[in-house]
Amino acid sequence: QAAMGRIQLKRTEQIKRFRKENFGYLYKHLSKFPDLILPRSLPDADVCWFSFPLTVKGDRGTLVAYLEKNGIETRSMFSGNILRHPAFKRTAYRRTGRYEGANYITEHSFWISVHPRLTQVDREYIVKVFDDYYDTHAIETVGCSC
């Protein structure tokens, strides 16, 4: 792993640039969908996005299933209300609130890739799949109290 890490360190700036380009492209093209809540960062932050986090105002499950069916991998966020994740099912804890915002993230958020090897064809395909989904699915949005 150290040998692979040394090679990757030589490519850090290139990897960072590709991830930022992929993120920027997806952000630009996915921002047209009012059902999606897109990530934000601080104005002066130099973020190297690991993935593209999305929150859906409506039904996450339908969109995620559509993306997966069309070859776009998704991942649930390991965030939100961590107590609702399977790994914490048998963990003892003390509850101090209702965690409404955290629960919303758990139920409505997921990630898609900004892998540095995505090509322009890949990015266009991702956007096309989102376009197709929103062209064919009636969207019923639910407000977020986050």
Side-chain angles (χ1 to χ4, degrees):
Q1 289 177 341
M4 289 185 66
R6 289 183 63 210
I7 299 301
Q8 290 295 83
L9 283 173
K10 294 175 186 174
R11 301 181 53 227
T12 300
E13 289 306 313
Q14 179 186 30
I15 290 169
K16 185 177 177 181
R17 187 180 83 246
F18 288 152
R19 284 187 178 277
K20 282 180 159 188
E21 287 172 8
N22 292 337
F23 182 91
Y25 183 91
L26 292 174
Y27 194 95
K28 175 183 175 186
H29 293 281
L30 298 182
S31 64
K32 66 186 169 191
F33 301 115
D35 189 49
L36 298 178
I37 300 171
L38 303 182
R40 293 181 299 201
S41 62
L42 297 172
D44 295 329
D46 183 22
V47 180
C48 179
W49 295 94
F50 171 74
S51 63
F52 196 100
L54 290 164
T55 300
V56 181
K57 294 176 186 173
D59 179 18
R60 172 187 77 171
T62 306
L63 174 57
V64 166
Y66 188 85
L67 294 172
E68 292 281 345
K69 177 182 155 198
N70 286 281
I72 298 171
E73 291 185 359
T74 66
R75 296 290 181 270
S76 293
M77 283 196 190
F78 191 75
S79 65
N81 186 347
I82 198 167
L83 300 174
R84 292 180 59 192
H85 289 272
F88 290 86
K89 198 174 228 173
R90 294 189 178 108
T91 302
Y93 59 90
R94 181 175 51 111
R95 188 177 189 141
T96 60
R98 294 186 57 203
Y99 314 122
E100 291 171 4
N103 287 329
Y104 194 89
I105 291 169
T106 302
E107 295 165 5
H108 294 270
S109 299
F110 66 98
W111 297 352
I112 59 174
S113 181
V114 292
H115 194 278
R117 284 192 261 169
L118 287 179
T119 65
Q120 181 63 23
V121 170
D122 296 331
R123 293 186 299 233
E124 289 171 2
Y125 178 74
I126 291 168
V127 171
K128 180 189 179 312
V129 171
F130 274 89
D131 282 336
D132 292 347
Y133 175 81
Y134 283 110
D135 284 346
T136 59
H137 289 77
I139 305 304
E140 182 180 318
T141 60
V142 177
C144 174
S145 60
C146 311

